[in-house]
Amino acid sequence: MKKYLLIASAALLALAACSKVTPVEQPASEISFSVVNYAQRTKADAQGVKFENNDFGTYAWWSPDTWEVNKFNTAFMSNVQITKSNNAWKPAQPYYWTKTGSISFFSYSPYKAQGAPEYRPATAQTDDAAATAEGWYLDNYTIPDGAREDLMFADPALNHSKNVNTVTDNGAYNDGTQATDDSGYEGVPTLFHHALTKVAFQFNKKHFVKAEVDEEDNVTNAAAITWPANVTSFDIQVTSAKVYAAKTASYAVDKWTGYQNDAGEYDYTPTNAPNLAEADQVTAAPNFFYLLPQPMTTTISKTIGGENGKSVTTPSLVLTYKISITYKGATERVVETVTDAIYPLSLAVQNNSAIDWTPNKSILYTITINPFFDEQITFDPAVVDWNETANGTITVEDQQ
């Protein structure tokens, strides 16, 4: 009996020695992002625009339950740069989903290693400071040279635990809308809003109906006259166009405040200064700037043109343009350069109100230039009165 037990035990040992256990690994779940730009999304038409910036920055916090219960519980990402790699938006060093709890993400674009926006918790009022609300903060942001930086903040992506496809996985954005078209990427739903105002200009010359005259130069279509009968042609070229606008302010929870008393100058000069088309013709697509949202009542001023220059109140557009006019019967073409033609942008109105620059708004200004003053040249003839002098008497007598 004992021999049998010994044999059985040896067999078990041999079986154990020959067995191989292969561990089963759970596939790693790397965090990525599904990004789109804000584009007039509504619950009826919830479509975005594919993200075009090169990168963005992200903050994230992990919570054992939800963001609403435990805000700012455990810092998970702190201003981490997100870029596109292999058709996925993700950090250079991978981050992975946790097995419990949820992660909430807060993103901005473009990424900044220094002077980056911060997503901050609300603070209570103290003796030294007023209460603040939860949200994005960016102190003393200055429009970069060229005004081509598209600063954006994303809706918070709250309480996520996996990558989603905004179509197949019901990945709703924080505003409650649901994408009806795939952004092209899978990951944390990241819906960006433009924080600046997109401003563009195009220039036209005033449209004129040329007067018709008969053989004796009498105007035959007087009711339609807007072009002087003695003008045979004219051209206008914008040789310089500069925009003046506030350039430094602070951002706090969806509002721009604290404008500094300086103004930026942004060159908007058309390439090669082509002759302008008539106002009723379609012009080429204009260039644009990303500028600080600001009311038309901004009192920041800037002196242009040196010591004897003019002071402009922002925002303004300052033009220099050349007018060439040919008059009938003239031997030479009249060419004049009009400088510092100032267009306060508060003159542009909609519904009888000046159009303020607000975040996520695109504004196109069309400047129509009239080559003539509306006042026709007239004359005020007068004759200088005779000079009076003392009267004299001359007696003429016959000579004998």
Side-chain angles (χ1 to χ4, degrees):
M1 184 67 178
K2 291 182 179 179
K3 184 177 180 181
Y4 174 79
L5 291 175
L6 288 173
I7 294 173
S9 297
L12 290 173
L13 288 172
L15 180 62
C18 294
S19 299
K20 181 178 180 181
V21 178
T22 302
V24 177
E25 295 185 7
Q26 183 178 2
S29 182
E30 185 178 353
I31 296 173
S32 60
F33 294 79
S34 175
V35 290
V36 292
N37 292 352
Y38 185 84
Q40 302 301 321
R41 294 169 57 89
T42 65
K43 294 186 185 302
D45 182 16
Q47 296 190 16
V49 178
K50 286 187 178 180
F51 184 73
E52 299 292 349
N53 280 9
N54 293 325
D55 57 16
F56 60 95
T58 292
Y59 298 83
W61 284 267
W62 174 85
S63 173
D65 31 50
T66 66
W67 174 260
E68 292 76 12
V69 175
N70 284 301
K71 292 186 176 183
F72 302 96
N73 181 273
T74 301
F76 186 78
M77 292 182 175
S78 180
N79 195 31
V80 174
Q81 185 180 21
I82 311 298
T83 59
K84 188 168 69 171
S85 175
N86 296 325
N87 202 37
W89 288 93
K90 57 186 180 180
Q93 298 298 322
Y95 284 74
Y96 296 92
W97 291 105
T98 56
K99 293 185 178 181
T100 62
S102 64
I103 306 174
S104 296
F105 299 85
F106 305 84
S107 301
Y108 73 94
S109 182
Y111 169 79
K112 294 180 182 295
Q114 302 293 329
E118 296 179 349
Y119 195 86
R120 302 174 185 171
T123 61
Q125 183 175 353
T126 65
D127 293 339
D128 299 325
T132 62
E134 176 190 324
W136 283 106
Y137 288 82
L138 177 57
D139 299 327
N140 297 326
Y141 174 77
T142 298
I143 298 295
D145 293 342
R148 291 294 190 270
E149 181 173 272
D150 187 7
L151 177 66
M152 294 186 285
F153 296 101
D155 284 341
L158 304 180
N159 306 320
H160 287 274
S161 58
K162 66 175 184 177
N163 294 327
V164 296
N165 182 293
T166 52
V167 174
T168 61
D169 291 340
N170 297 321
Y173 291 98
N174 195 52
D175 62 359
T177 62
Q178 177 66 49
T180 58
D181 189 15
D182 192 354
S183 69
Y185 309 102
E186 185 175 88
V188 179
T190 308
L191 178 64
F192 281 102
H193 301 250
H194 302 284
L196 302 177
T197 304
K198 183 179 178 180
V199 180
F201 299 88
Q202 63 183 13
F203 306 101
N204 294 322
K205 66 180 180 182
K206 184 176 179 180
H207 175 68
F208 287 91
V209 178
K210 190 172 182 179
E212 297 177 2
V213 296
D214 58 21
E215 294 180 355
E216 297 178 357
D217 287 344
N218 295 317
V219 176
T220 59
N221 61 337
I225 294 177
T226 54
W227 184 320
N230 62 333
V231 172
T232 59
S233 66
F234 72 92
D235 291 309
I236 299 176
Q237 293 176 310
V238 175
T239 57
S240 174
K242 297 183 183 298
V243 181
Y244 294 87
K247 69 175 182 178
T248 302
S250 295
Y251 186 87
V253 193
D254 301 327
K255 293 182 180 179
W256 288 97
T257 60
Y259 294 93
Q260 294 190 7
N261 191 27
D262 60 354
E265 177 183 288
Y266 309 100
D267 186 12
Y268 206 87
T269 303
T271 304
N272 300 325
N275 290 331
L276 300 184
E278 293 185 348
D280 62 348
Q281 297 178 357
V282 177
T283 59
N287 293 322
F288 54 85
F289 293 136
Y290 294 112
L291 298 175
L292 279 178
Q294 53 199 279
M296 293 298 105
T297 57
T298 306
T299 57
I300 298 169
S301 63
K302 186 177 183 69
T303 301
I304 61 174
E307 295 182 358
N308 299 320
K310 297 181 180 180
S311 179
V312 296
T313 300
T314 61
S316 287
L317 174 69
V318 179
L319 296 178
T320 299
Y321 54 89
K322 182 186 294 184
I323 303 173
S324 301
I325 303 177
T326 299
Y327 287 91
K328 186 176 182 179
T331 58
E332 294 183 326
R333 191 172 177 84
V334 177
V335 179
E336 59 176 326
T337 299
V338 181
T339 59
D340 294 342
I342 300 174
Y343 289 82
L345 297 178
S346 59
L347 293 178
V349 297
Q350 189 175 48
N351 298 326
N352 297 320
S353 299
I355 303 173
D356 284 342
W357 292 3
T358 56
N360 213 84
K361 178 182 284 186
S362 177
I363 303 174
L364 172 61
Y365 294 96
T366 299
I367 309 299
T368 301
I369 301 174
N370 186 347
F372 313 106
F373 281 116
D374 290 335
E375 185 177 2
Q376 183 179 351
I377 297 176
T378 59
F379 294 86
D380 181 17
V383 178
V384 176
D385 200 3
W386 300 103
N387 293 328
E388 293 185 2
T389 186
N391 294 326
T393 300
I394 299 175
T395 302
V396 179
E397 296 181 352
D398 291 339
Q399 299 294 324
Q400 297 294 329

